Each structure stands twice: as C-alpha cells, then as structure tokens.
C-alpha cells in the first residue's frame, strides 16, 4: 500500500515541475514581436499566485486533520484517479500555449499586432489554458482524498480564475474590439458548451 503522503508530494511535485517546465520552455522559445503592449495587467497574476498558495496551504492543513471525509476510496485509489486528471489538464494547457505561440504571455498583455485566436482549443473555449489549469489542480487536489481539502484547493483556484477571466475579457474586448466581441459571443469562457 502506498504511503499517502508520498503520493501527495509525488503528484504535487510532478504537477509543478511539468507545469512550470512547459511554461518556461514556451516562454524561452517565444520570440515575440517587437511591438509594445497596448495594455498590460499584472494584478490578476498576483491574485492567481496568492490564491494558489492559500488554497494549497488550506487544503493540506485540512487533509492532515483526523478524521477526513474521503473523496474516492483510499489514498492509493485517489492518487491513481488524480494522475490522469493532472496530466490531461497539463496537456490542455500545453495545447493552448502552443496554439498561441509567440502571442502567449504569463500576464495579460495585449499588443497591437495581436489577432483573435480561434484555432486549436480556442475553437471550444476562450480560455483553454485556464480550463487545463483548473483540471490539473482538481486532479492534484484529488490525491488528498478529502472532500473539504478538495473544495478549498479547487474552489480557491476557480475563484482566482474567474477574476482573471473577467479582467482578461474586459481588456480584450476593449482593445481587440468587435472581432473579440463576436468571438466571445459564440465561444464559452471555460467549459465547452456550458460557460
């Protein structure tokens, strides 16, 4: 039987290493255009990071208490359920970053040569990298195998993403105009065919 603490740290470590490794590789590879940003916003990035840290700390603290409220079977089963969700989420995020190519930025940064991307995962949702990130976090939270811990980690991530999506959509509508407004009117934000 797998020690659940080993499972927690293994999934968390693999998630973080892969997530940041893929993102760092794409940031290093992107050449970007020489154009200056029309709009740049960093507060929502800080909100994402802050809520991530608070959510992780709260979830781990809840999962260490006794008794826990199991999410799925035992902790070994939870780890086995978590890994496919984590890797699927990272794959969706990677697909989104790859589709954006040189237009990918870690912060909200609108440039004058920026088109509205409608290919790849952007055919299905406006913010697929956030969809992938949320799926990866929900998967990683599953390994804790505790309903309150899962709700805290997934909920804090979702709250931060909702703030980020609202901020990003507002900026993109303002700077990209009717092209983005038309895209937004026909493409869900985060979940295909739902919202």
């Amino acid at each position: 039987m797998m020690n659940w603490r080993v499972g927690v740290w293994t999934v968390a470590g693999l998630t973080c290493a892969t997530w940041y490794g893929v993102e760092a590789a794409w940031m290093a590879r992107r050449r970007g255009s020489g154009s200056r940003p029309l709009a740049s916003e960093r507060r929502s990035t800080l909100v994402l990071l802050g809520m991530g840290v608070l959510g992780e700390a709260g979830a781990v603290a809840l999962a260490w208490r006794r008794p826990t409220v199991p999410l799925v079977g035992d902790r070994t089963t939870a780890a086995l359920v978590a890994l496919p969700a984590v890797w699927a989420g990272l794959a969706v995020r990677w697909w989104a970053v790859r589709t954006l190519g040189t237009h990918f930025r870690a912060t909200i940064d609108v440039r004058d040569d920026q088109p509205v991307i409608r290919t790849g995962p952007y055919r299905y949702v406006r913010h697929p990298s956030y969809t992938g990130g949320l799926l990866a976090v929900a998967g990683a939270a599953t390994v804790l195998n505790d309903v309150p811990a899962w709700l805290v980690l997934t909920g804090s991530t979702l709250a931060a993403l909702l703030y980020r999506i609202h901020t990003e959509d507002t900026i993109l509508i303002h700077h990209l105009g009717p092209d983005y407004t038309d895209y937004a009117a026909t493409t869900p934000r985060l979940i295909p065919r739902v919202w």
Side-chain angles (χ1 to χ4, degrees):
M1 201 61 123
M2 181 201 300
N3 179 325
W4 74 270
R5 288 181 179 94
V6 172
V8 168
W9 295 114
T10 300
V11 170
L14 288 173
T15 300
C16 290
T18 304
W19 188 312
Y20 294 117
V22 166
E23 209 155 277
W26 277 104
M27 289 298 284
R29 284 188 53 174
R30 77 172 171 84
R31 291 174 179 78
S33 66
S35 64
R36 292 200 132 135
L38 295 173
S40 189
E41 192 278 337
R42 304 213 178 338
R43 182 181 322 163
S44 62
T45 303
L46 296 175
V47 168
L48 278 171
L49 293 172
M51 290 295 282
V53 169
L54 290 174
E56 288 172 22
V60 169
L62 284 169
W64 282 66
R65 78 189 191 304
R66 296 286 187 256
T68 60
V69 181
L71 188 62
V72 290
D74 61 14
R75 293 194 191 271
T76 302
T77 304
L80 293 174
V81 168
L83 280 172
V86 169
W87 291 110
L90 292 173
V92 169
R93 182 157 170 83
W94 178 81
W95 185 23
V97 170
R98 182 179 169 96
T99 301
L100 284 179
T102 60
H103 299 289
F104 173 75
R105 305 281 188 279
T107 59
I108 300 172
D109 206 22
V110 182
R111 306 213 170 228
D112 59 1
D113 63 343
Q114 182 170 330
V116 175
I117 306 293
R118 292 183 165 106
T119 60
Y122 293 89
R123 288 178 294 203
Y124 309 107
V125 290
R126 296 196 308 261
H127 305 284
S129 66
Y130 305 152
T131 301
L134 183 60
L135 180 57
V137 167
T142 301
V143 82
L144 297 170
N145 200 28
D146 182 60
V147 172
W150 187 89
L151 289 171
V152 165
L153 184 50
T154 305
S156 65
T157 301
L158 179 60
L161 286 174
L162 292 176
Y163 173 74
R164 172 72 168 230
I165 287 168
H166 172 74
T167 303
E168 190 168 328
D169 278 346
T170 301
I171 290 170
L172 291 173
I173 287 169
H174 178 74
H175 289 284
L176 299 182
D179 198 23
Y180 190 80
T181 303
D182 292 344
Y183 172 66
T186 59
T187 311
R189 291 173 186 87
L190 195 64
I191 303 169
R193 300 181 182 180
V194 177
W195 184 79

